[in-house]
PDB file of all heavy atoms in Angstrom:
ATOM      1  N   HIS A   1      29.859   9.658  61.799  1.00  0.00           N
ATOM      2  CA  HIS A   1      28.650   9.271  62.519  1.00  0.00           C
ATOM      3  C   HIS A   1      28.364   7.809  62.236  1.00  0.00           C
ATOM      4  O   HIS A   1      28.121   7.426  61.089  1.00  0.00           O
ATOM      5  CB  HIS A   1      27.466  10.135  62.060  1.00  0.00           C
ATOM      6  CG  HIS A   1      26.147   9.707  62.655  1.00  0.00           C
ATOM      7  ND1 HIS A   1      25.002   9.548  61.888  1.00  0.00           N
ATOM      8  CD2 HIS A   1      25.797   9.389  63.924  1.00  0.00           C
ATOM      9  CE1 HIS A   1      24.008   9.172  62.684  1.00  0.00           C
ATOM     10  NE2 HIS A   1      24.457   9.061  63.913  1.00  0.00           N
ATOM     11  N   SER A   2      28.461   6.969  63.247  1.00  0.00           N
ATOM     12  CA  SER A   2      28.122   5.551  63.134  1.00  0.00           C
ATOM     13  C   SER A   2      28.129   4.963  64.532  1.00  0.00           C
ATOM     14  O   SER A   2      28.384   5.663  65.509  1.00  0.00           O
ATOM     15  CB  SER A   2      29.098   4.805  62.206  1.00  0.00           C
ATOM     16  OG  SER A   2      30.425   4.924  62.671  1.00  0.00           O
ATOM     17  N   GLY A   3      27.860   3.655  64.639  1.00  0.00           N
ATOM     18  CA  GLY A   3      27.721   3.059  65.959  1.00  0.00           C
ATOM     19  C   GLY A   3      28.489   1.769  66.121  1.00  0.00           C
ATOM     20  O   GLY A   3      29.639   1.652  65.705  1.00  0.00           O
ATOM     21  N   SER A   4      27.823   0.784  66.712  1.00  0.00           N
ATOM     22  CA  SER A   4      28.503  -0.453  67.099  1.00  0.00           C
ATOM     23  C   SER A   4      28.269  -1.592  66.113  1.00  0.00           C
ATOM     24  O   SER A   4      28.481  -2.764  66.449  1.00  0.00           O
ATOM     25  CB  SER A   4      28.064  -0.879  68.507  1.00  0.00           C
ATOM     26  OG  SER A   4      26.649  -0.893  68.623  1.00  0.00           O
ATOM     27  N   ARG A   5      27.790  -1.232  64.926  1.00  0.00           N
ATOM     28  CA  ARG A   5      27.699  -2.158  63.802  1.00  0.00           C
ATOM     29  C   ARG A   5      26.860  -3.400  64.113  1.00  0.00           C
ATOM     30  O   ARG A   5      25.947  -3.348  64.918  1.00  0.00           O
ATOM     31  CB  ARG A   5      29.122  -2.540  63.330  1.00  0.00           C
ATOM     32  CG  ARG A   5      30.010  -1.357  62.976  1.00  0.00           C
ATOM     33  CD  ARG A   5      29.485  -0.625  61.748  1.00  0.00           C
ATOM     34  NE  ARG A   5      29.765  -1.395  60.551  1.00  0.00           N
ATOM     35  CZ  ARG A   5      28.824  -1.992  59.802  1.00  0.00           C
ATOM     36  NH1 ARG A   5      27.561  -1.912  60.122  1.00  0.00           N
ATOM     37  NH2 ARG A   5      29.153  -2.658  58.728  1.00  0.00           N
ATOM     38  N   GLY A   6      27.182  -4.523  63.501  1.00  0.00           N
ATOM     39  CA  GLY A   6      26.375  -5.712  63.678  1.00  0.00           C
ATOM     40  C   GLY A   6      26.376  -6.231  65.100  1.00  0.00           C
ATOM     41  O   GLY A   6      25.404  -6.853  65.546  1.00  0.00           O
ATOM     42  N   PHE A   7      27.473  -5.985  65.817  1.00  0.00           N
ATOM     43  CA  PHE A   7      27.546  -6.417  67.212  1.00  0.00           C
ATOM     44  C   PHE A   7      26.449  -5.751  68.042  1.00  0.00           C
ATOM     45  O   PHE A   7      25.653  -6.421  68.709  1.00  0.00           O
ATOM     46  CB  PHE A   7      28.924  -6.085  67.786  1.00  0.00           C
ATOM     47  CG  PHE A   7      29.009  -6.250  69.283  1.00  0.00           C
ATOM     48  CD1 PHE A   7      28.786  -7.487  69.868  1.00  0.00           C
ATOM     49  CD2 PHE A   7      29.305  -5.177  70.108  1.00  0.00           C
ATOM     50  CE1 PHE A   7      28.856  -7.646  71.252  1.00  0.00           C
ATOM     51  CE2 PHE A   7      29.374  -5.320  71.476  1.00  0.00           C
ATOM     52  CZ  PHE A   7      29.152  -6.560  72.052  1.00  0.00           C
ATOM     53  N   GLY A   8      26.384  -4.418  67.988  1.00  0.00           N
ATOM     54  CA  GLY A   8      25.372  -3.706  68.762  1.00  0.00           C
ATOM     55  C   GLY A   8      23.960  -4.045  68.331  1.00  0.00           C
ATOM     56  O   GLY A   8      23.051  -4.192  69.165  1.00  0.00           O
ATOM     57  N   GLY A   9      23.765  -4.189  67.027  1.00  0.00           N
ATOM     58  CA  GLY A   9      22.440  -4.516  66.522  1.00  0.00           C
ATOM     59  C   GLY A   9      21.957  -5.877  67.018  1.00  0.00           C
ATOM     60  O   GLY A   9      20.792  -6.038  67.403  1.00  0.00           O
ATOM     61  N   ALA A  10      22.849  -6.869  67.016  1.00  0.00           N
ATOM     62  CA  ALA A  10      22.475  -8.206  67.478  1.00  0.00           C
ATOM     63  C   ALA A  10      22.192  -8.211  68.975  1.00  0.00           C
ATOM     64  O   ALA A  10      21.257  -8.874  69.443  1.00  0.00           O
ATOM     65  CB  ALA A  10      23.578  -9.209  67.138  1.00  0.00           C
ATOM     66  N   VAL A  11      23.009  -7.491  69.741  1.00  0.00           N
ATOM     67  CA  VAL A  11      22.774  -7.372  71.190  1.00  0.00           C
ATOM     68  C   VAL A  11      21.413  -6.734  71.451  1.00  0.00           C
ATOM     69  O   VAL A  11      20.622  -7.208  72.274  1.00  0.00           O
ATOM     70  CB  VAL A  11      23.901  -6.553  71.857  1.00  0.00           C
ATOM     71  CG1 VAL A  11      23.509  -6.139  73.274  1.00  0.00           C
ATOM     72  CG2 VAL A  11      25.197  -7.354  71.882  1.00  0.00           C
ATOM     73  N   ALA A  12      21.130  -5.637  70.737  1.00  0.00           N
ATOM     74  CA  ALA A  12      19.857  -4.931  70.931  1.00  0.00           C
ATOM     75  C   ALA A  12      18.677  -5.838  70.602  1.00  0.00           C
ATOM     76  O   ALA A  12      17.695  -5.900  71.359  1.00  0.00           O
ATOM     77  CB  ALA A  12      19.826  -3.676  70.067  1.00  0.00           C
ATOM     78  N   ASN A  13      18.748  -6.539  69.497  1.00  0.00           N
ATOM     79  CA  ASN A  13      17.633  -7.398  69.092  1.00  0.00           C
ATOM     80  C   ASN A  13      17.404  -8.535  70.093  1.00  0.00           C
ATOM     81  O   ASN A  13      16.264  -8.835  70.466  1.00  0.00           O
ATOM     82  CB  ASN A  13      17.884  -7.976  67.693  1.00  0.00           C
ATOM     83  CG  ASN A  13      17.742  -6.932  66.606  1.00  0.00           C
ATOM     84  OD1 ASN A  13      16.994  -5.973  66.749  1.00  0.00           O
ATOM     85  ND2 ASN A  13      18.481  -7.100  65.520  1.00  0.00           N
ATOM     86  N   TYR A  14      18.483  -9.148  70.551  1.00  0.00           N
ATOM     87  CA  TYR A  14      18.355 -10.272  71.481  1.00  0.00           C
ATOM     88  C   TYR A  14      17.741  -9.823  72.801  1.00  0.00           C
ATOM     89  O   TYR A  14      16.777 -10.434  73.301  1.00  0.00           O
ATOM     90  CB  TYR A  14      19.737 -10.908  71.734  1.00  0.00           C
ATOM     91  CG  TYR A  14      19.693 -12.060  72.712  1.00  0.00           C
ATOM     92  CD1 TYR A  14      19.392 -13.346  72.280  1.00  0.00           C
ATOM     93  CD2 TYR A  14      19.948 -11.855  74.071  1.00  0.00           C
ATOM     94  CE1 TYR A  14      19.351 -14.406  73.177  1.00  0.00           C
ATOM     95  CE2 TYR A  14      19.891 -12.901  74.978  1.00  0.00           C
ATOM     96  CZ  TYR A  14      19.596 -14.165  74.523  1.00  0.00           C
ATOM     97  OH  TYR A  14      19.538 -15.219  75.419  1.00  0.00           O
ATOM     98  N   TYR A  15      18.274  -8.751  73.372  1.00  0.00           N
ATOM     99  CA  TYR A  15      17.817  -8.348  74.701  1.00  0.00           C
ATOM    100  C   TYR A  15      16.504  -7.560  74.670  1.00  0.00           C
ATOM    101  O   TYR A  15      15.771  -7.544  75.674  1.00  0.00           O
ATOM    102  CB  TYR A  15      18.922  -7.579  75.433  1.00  0.00           C
ATOM    103  CG  TYR A  15      20.023  -8.504  75.887  1.00  0.00           C
ATOM    104  CD1 TYR A  15      21.211  -8.602  75.165  1.00  0.00           C
ATOM    105  CD2 TYR A  15      19.861  -9.312  77.000  1.00  0.00           C
ATOM    106  CE1 TYR A  15      22.217  -9.478  75.554  1.00  0.00           C
ATOM    107  CE2 TYR A  15      20.851 -10.199  77.400  1.00  0.00           C
ATOM    108  CZ  TYR A  15      22.027 -10.279  76.679  1.00  0.00           C
ATOM    109  OH  TYR A  15      23.013 -11.165  77.068  1.00  0.00           O
ATOM    110  N   SER A  16      16.175  -6.949  73.542  1.00  0.00           N
ATOM    111  CA  SER A  16      14.856  -6.324  73.425  1.00  0.00           C
ATOM    112  C   SER A  16      13.770  -7.388  73.464  1.00  0.00           C
ATOM    113  O   SER A  16      12.741  -7.251  74.151  1.00  0.00           O
ATOM    114  CB  SER A  16      14.751  -5.519  72.124  1.00  0.00           C
ATOM    115  OG  SER A  16      15.635  -4.419  72.144  1.00  0.00           O
ATOM    116  N   LYS A  17      13.984  -8.485  72.731  1.00  0.00           N
ATOM    117  CA  LYS A  17      13.014  -9.585  72.740  1.00  0.00           C
ATOM    118  C   LYS A  17      12.938 -10.223  74.129  1.00  0.00           C
ATOM    119  O   LYS A  17      11.849 -10.552  74.614  1.00  0.00           O
ATOM    120  CB  LYS A  17      13.408 -10.626  71.693  1.00  0.00           C
ATOM    121  CG  LYS A  17      13.252 -10.159  70.261  1.00  0.00           C
ATOM    122  CD  LYS A  17      13.726 -11.222  69.275  1.00  0.00           C
ATOM    123  CE  LYS A  17      13.603 -10.725  67.841  1.00  0.00           C
ATOM    124  NZ  LYS A  17      14.157 -11.724  66.879  1.00  0.00           N
ATOM    125  N   LEU A  18      14.095 -10.377  74.762  1.00  0.00           N
ATOM    126  CA  LEU A  18      14.123 -10.969  76.096  1.00  0.00           C
ATOM    127  C   LEU A  18      13.368 -10.090  77.095  1.00  0.00           C
ATOM    128  O   LEU A  18      12.594 -10.586  77.931  1.00  0.00           O
ATOM    129  CB  LEU A  18      15.569 -11.173  76.547  1.00  0.00           C
ATOM    130  CG  LEU A  18      15.771 -11.881  77.891  1.00  0.00           C
ATOM    131  CD1 LEU A  18      15.167 -13.282  77.864  1.00  0.00           C
ATOM    132  CD2 LEU A  18      17.266 -11.945  78.233  1.00  0.00           C
ATOM    133  N   ALA A  19      13.576  -8.778  77.011  1.00  0.00           N
ATOM    134  CA  ALA A  19      12.880  -7.856  77.908  1.00  0.00           C
ATOM    135  C   ALA A  19      11.374  -7.956  77.720  1.00  0.00           C
ATOM    136  O   ALA A  19      10.605  -7.935  78.693  1.00  0.00           O
ATOM    137  CB  ALA A  19      13.358  -6.427  77.653  1.00  0.00           C
ATOM    138  N   MET A  20      10.929  -8.074  76.469  1.00  0.00           N
ATOM    139  CA  MET A  20       9.485  -8.156  76.196  1.00  0.00           C
ATOM    140  C   MET A  20       8.888  -9.480  76.688  1.00  0.00           C
ATOM    141  O   MET A  20       7.698  -9.556  76.976  1.00  0.00           O
ATOM    142  CB  MET A  20       9.229  -7.945  74.707  1.00  0.00           C
ATOM    143  CG  MET A  20       9.543  -6.526  74.243  1.00  0.00           C
ATOM    144  SD  MET A  20       9.514  -6.296  72.446  1.00  0.00           S
ATOM    145  CE  MET A  20       7.760  -6.462  72.111  1.00  0.00           C
ATOM    146  N   GLN A  21       9.734 -10.513  76.804  1.00  0.00           N
ATOM    147  CA  GLN A  21       9.263 -11.771  77.382  1.00  0.00           C
ATOM    148  C   GLN A  21       9.147 -11.670  78.899  1.00  0.00           C
ATOM    149  O   GLN A  21       8.213 -12.214  79.502  1.00  0.00           O
ATOM    150  CB  GLN A  21      10.231 -12.908  77.021  1.00  0.00           C
ATOM    151  CG  GLN A  21      10.272 -13.265  75.554  1.00  0.00           C
ATOM    152  CD  GLN A  21      11.406 -14.220  75.231  1.00  0.00           C
ATOM    153  OE1 GLN A  21      12.063 -14.760  76.128  1.00  0.00           O
ATOM    154  NE2 GLN A  21      11.658 -14.427  73.947  1.00  0.00           N
ATOM    155  N   LYS A  22      10.099 -10.960  79.505  1.00  0.00           N
ATOM    156  CA  LYS A  22      10.149 -10.875  80.964  1.00  0.00           C
ATOM    157  C   LYS A  22       9.202  -9.816  81.515  1.00  0.00           C
ATOM    158  O   LYS A  22       8.678  -9.960  82.621  1.00  0.00           O
ATOM    159  CB  LYS A  22      11.578 -10.573  81.414  1.00  0.00           C
ATOM    160  CG  LYS A  22      12.601 -11.643  81.052  1.00  0.00           C
ATOM    161  CD  LYS A  22      12.381 -12.913  81.844  1.00  0.00           C
ATOM    162  CE  LYS A  22      13.455 -13.959  81.562  1.00  0.00           C
ATOM    163  NZ  LYS A  22      13.278 -15.163  82.393  1.00  0.00           N
ATOM    164  N   THR A  23       9.027  -8.719  80.773  1.00  0.00           N
ATOM    165  CA  THR A  23       8.208  -7.594  81.242  1.00  0.00           C
ATOM    166  C   THR A  23       7.072  -7.397  80.261  1.00  0.00           C
ATOM    167  O   THR A  23       7.283  -6.908  79.148  1.00  0.00           O
ATOM    168  CB  THR A  23       9.059  -6.306  81.338  1.00  0.00           C
ATOM    169  OG1 THR A  23      10.187  -6.542  82.180  1.00  0.00           O
ATOM    170  CG2 THR A  23       8.237  -5.158  81.899  1.00  0.00           C
ATOM    171  N   ARG A  24       5.885  -7.767  80.670  1.00  0.00           N
ATOM    172  CA  ARG A  24       4.727  -7.657  79.784  1.00  0.00           C
ATOM    173  C   ARG A  24       3.964  -6.377  80.105  1.00  0.00           C
ATOM    174  O   ARG A  24       3.565  -6.144  81.257  1.00  0.00           O
ATOM    175  CB  ARG A  24       3.841  -8.897  79.913  1.00  0.00           C
ATOM    176  CG  ARG A  24       4.521 -10.160  79.370  1.00  0.00           C
ATOM    177  CD  ARG A  24       3.539 -11.322  79.335  1.00  0.00           C
ATOM    178  NE  ARG A  24       3.187 -11.747  80.683  1.00  0.00           N
ATOM    179  CZ  ARG A  24       3.846 -12.669  81.386  1.00  0.00           C
ATOM    180  NH1 ARG A  24       4.909 -13.251  80.860  1.00  0.00           N
ATOM    181  NH2 ARG A  24       3.442 -12.998  82.596  1.00  0.00           N
ATOM    182  N   LEU A  25       3.767  -5.568  79.070  1.00  0.00           N
ATOM    183  CA  LEU A  25       3.130  -4.264  79.216  1.00  0.00           C
ATOM    184  C   LEU A  25       1.960  -4.148  78.249  1.00  0.00           C
ATOM    185  O   LEU A  25       1.871  -4.920  77.282  1.00  0.00           O
ATOM    186  CB  LEU A  25       4.154  -3.155  78.917  1.00  0.00           C
ATOM    187  CG  LEU A  25       5.297  -2.997  79.922  1.00  0.00           C
ATOM    188  CD1 LEU A  25       6.423  -2.174  79.312  1.00  0.00           C
ATOM    189  CD2 LEU A  25       4.798  -2.351  81.209  1.00  0.00           C
ATOM    190  N   PRO A  26       1.073  -3.165  78.457  1.00  0.00           N
ATOM    191  CA  PRO A  26       0.013  -2.933  77.468  1.00  0.00           C
ATOM    192  C   PRO A  26       0.597  -2.714  76.077  1.00  0.00           C
ATOM    193  O   PRO A  26       1.752  -2.285  75.930  1.00  0.00           O
ATOM    194  CB  PRO A  26      -0.676  -1.671  77.999  1.00  0.00           C
ATOM    195  CG  PRO A  26      -0.414  -1.685  79.466  1.00  0.00           C
ATOM    196  CD  PRO A  26       0.952  -2.289  79.624  1.00  0.00           C
ATOM    197  N   LYS A  27      -0.204  -3.005  75.050  1.00  0.00           N
ATOM    198  CA  LYS A  27       0.268  -3.024  73.663  1.00  0.00           C
ATOM    199  C   LYS A  27       1.022  -1.766  73.278  1.00  0.00           C
ATOM    200  O   LYS A  27       2.092  -1.826  72.654  1.00  0.00           O
ATOM    201  CB  LYS A  27      -0.915  -3.228  72.723  1.00  0.00           C
ATOM    202  CG  LYS A  27      -0.515  -3.351  71.261  1.00  0.00           C
ATOM    203  CD  LYS A  27      -1.729  -3.620  70.385  1.00  0.00           C
ATOM    204  CE  LYS A  27      -1.328  -3.738  68.915  1.00  0.00           C
ATOM    205  NZ  LYS A  27      -2.520  -3.997  68.053  1.00  0.00           N
TER     206      LYS A  27
END
């Protein structure tokens, strides 16, 4: 049981922040 390691984590962090910049939702 494991995933995509540091690669997946960095991708997730970068695009999660980008999504929150582009799509603003209630808190």
Side-chain angles (χ1 to χ4, degrees):
H1 174 227
S2 58
S4 50
R5 305 294 285 111
F7 169 61
V11 166
N13 288 331
Y14 179 85
Y15 287 101
S16 294
K17 291 177 182 176
L18 184 60
M20 292 171 70
Q21 293 170 10
K22 298 291 184 177
T23 304
R24 292 188 291 270
L25 292 163
K27 184 177 180 180

